[in-house]
Structures are given as C-alpha cells and as structure tokens.
Amino acid sequence: DGGVIVQFSLSSLIEIRSWVLSFGCHAEVFEPVELRTSLRGEAEQLSQVYSGKHKNTSKPSEAGKGT
C-alpha cells in the first residue's frame, strides 16, 4: 500500500505533533495514545472550523490583525 511505519525516541511530543500534522490525512499515529488523542482533538477542531460550526467571532477579513 506504500505505507511506512516509523519509530522515534523522543523527550517531548511537541515537535513531532506539528510534523505529523503537516502530513494531514496521509499520516496516522498509533502510539503513544497521548499523541493520538491530541491529534484527534486537533482534527475535531479543524472539522468545526471548515464545517462553519466554529465559534470564532472574527470575520475572515479580520483574521491575523493585531490589536
């Protein structure tokens, strides 16, 4: 299927979380459970944003403006 399994020894999940997210739906984390749960939460939040159900009160034209 063209997949690959990668294993790392890490002291923190912070950097690997961003790296895995950069692959979008083309990557799946099996372990550790904490990372898998964190990624699931991020995916749920993204789903809310792109389905129009996000509770962000900023208009798109206001996004990224400093106050």
Side-chain angles (χ1 to χ4, degrees), residues 11-30:
S11 59
S12 170
L13 299 178
I14 295 170
E15 290 84 6
I16 198 73
R17 183 179 183 275
S18 296
W19 184 71
V20 171
L21 283 169
S22 75
F23 291 97
C25 66
H26 302 289
E28 181 178 2
V29 170
F30 298 107

Side-chain angles (χ1 to χ4, degrees), residues 5-67:
I5 296 177
V6 180
Q7 183 175 353
F8 295 99
S9 295
L10 304 166
S11 59
S12 170
L13 299 178
I14 295 170
E15 290 84 6
I16 198 73
R17 183 179 183 275
S18 296
W19 184 71
V20 171
L21 283 169
S22 75
F23 291 97
C25 66
H26 302 289
E28 181 178 2
V29 170
F30 298 107
E31 294 180 300
V33 173
E34 296 88 353
L35 180 56
R36 187 173 173 93
T37 301
S38 174
L39 293 170
R40 182 184 311 117
E42 185 74 17
E44 289 169 356
Q45 288 179 4
L46 285 168
S47 177
Q48 293 289 314
V49 168
Y50 289 104
S51 68
K53 298 176 185 174
H54 186 58
K55 294 182 172 80
N56 187 352
T57 58
S58 297
K59 296 177 185 173
S61 62
E62 297 174 0
K65 289 185 178 180
T67 54

